[in-house]
Amino acid sequence: MEGIKGRRSIRKYKRDPVPEETLRTLLEAVRWSPSWANTQCWEVIVVKDPKGKAALGTALSKRNPALSSMTNAPIVLVLCGKKGISGFYKGQAATVKGDWLMFDTGMAMQNLCLTAHSLGLGTVVIGLFDHKKVEEILEIPQNIEVVAMTPLGYPAAEGIAPKRKELSQFVFYDKYQGK
Ligand SMILES: Cc1cc2nc3c(=O)[nH]c(=O)nc-3n(C[C@H](O)[C@H](O)[C@H](O)COP(=O)(O)O)c2cc1C
């Protein structure tokens, strides 16, 4: 609970590089995430080249509060998902939800973010950007989709925790009781 409550979206980073071994630990956190029938649809692109990070930054709108972190952070991780395997059985969608890649990559991203926090590193999930543009920049093939990105580095400033809903607003017993 300490890790879950203490993790914050970090949008300002120190220039200090992230040790290779630490990066590897984070990638292991992705590797050991749960996934639909252990299909492991995730793929991660590690971008360290300043030109590469700047190019990815052009896919964010100027109003995205995470824009500057795309170039300030020493690393940007791009989380992708292979289409048509998570949630599928013999090529057919097994549920009305279709592809579960958003779910599986979401779990992987959470493992990554919590592990990063436990190692003193900051992350911020970035979902609001031009996905097509990022797919072009990174030369992503048709069967893969870019889901989200996160800068990675040592926090230069801590974030303030935005308020959460009370349990009574989203937990119901026996039947749905929301409005
Ligand atoms: C799917 C998803 C997409 C997000 N996209 C962005 C984004 O594009 N830009 C940004 O600054 N933060 C983004 N965030 C971060 C949220 O704003 C943040 O998690 C939320 O305000 C709660 O703050 P906390 O992470 O510090 O607890 C995103 C978070 C999630 C889970």
Side-chain angles (χ1 to χ4, degrees):
M1 279 312 286
E2 215 177 283
I4 289 170
K5 285 189 171 178
R7 179 213 56 83
R8 282 285 70 69
S9 288
I10 300 298
R11 298 183 177 86
K12 289 197 173 95
Y13 293 87
K14 292 181 183 162
R15 299 264 167 208
D16 310 14
V18 176
E20 231 10 75
E21 204 184 310
T22 308
L23 174 61
R24 215 186 146 80
T25 304
L26 300 184
L27 299 172
E28 284 285 335
V30 169
R31 182 175 173 226
W32 286 98
S33 301
S35 63
W36 181 286
N38 200 29
T39 40
Q40 306 167 64
C41 71
W42 46 71
E43 294 188 323
V44 183
I45 303 176
V46 180
V47 182
K48 294 185 185 175
D49 173 31
K51 279 193 197 133
K53 289 185 289 168
L56 293 177
T58 65
L60 272 66
S61 116
K62 299 238 175 335
R63 275 169 293 152
N64 193 317
L67 177 62
S68 64
S69 52
M70 292 294 293
T71 42
N72 290 341
I75 298 178
V76 173
L77 299 173
V78 184
L79 191 58
C80 310
K82 193 172 269 183
K83 297 182 211 172
I85 56 169
S86 176
F88 288 81
Y89 182 67
K90 292 189 177 164
Q92 295 288 319
T95 70
V96 291
K97 302 284 178 208
D99 203 320
W100 281 69
L101 81 81
M102 294 292 282
F103 194 91
D104 288 358
T105 54
M107 296 191 89
M109 182 63 105
Q110 178 72 338
N111 271 7
L112 193 158
C113 292
L114 287 175
T115 307
H117 173 63
S118 78
L119 298 170
L121 285 155
T123 56
V124 54
V125 180
I126 304 179
L128 180 62
F129 59 88
D130 182 342
H131 287 74
K132 290 236 166 347
K133 195 168 188 179
V134 167
E135 284 163 4
E136 269 168 38
I137 293 167
L138 299 173
E139 299 174 16
I140 307 274
Q142 286 283 311
N143 61 327
I144 309 293
E145 91 180 46
V146 166
V147 176
M149 305 194 273
T150 178
L152 175 73
Y154 293 96
E158 294 298 332
I160 298 161
K163 277 203 165 171
R164 263 35 182 195
K165 289 181 187 174
E166 296 300 330
L167 291 187
S168 59
Q169 293 178 274
F170 66 92
V171 182
F172 313 120
Y173 293 91
D174 301 322
K175 280 194 178 147
Y176 186 77
Q177 286 147 2
K179 285 172 200 143

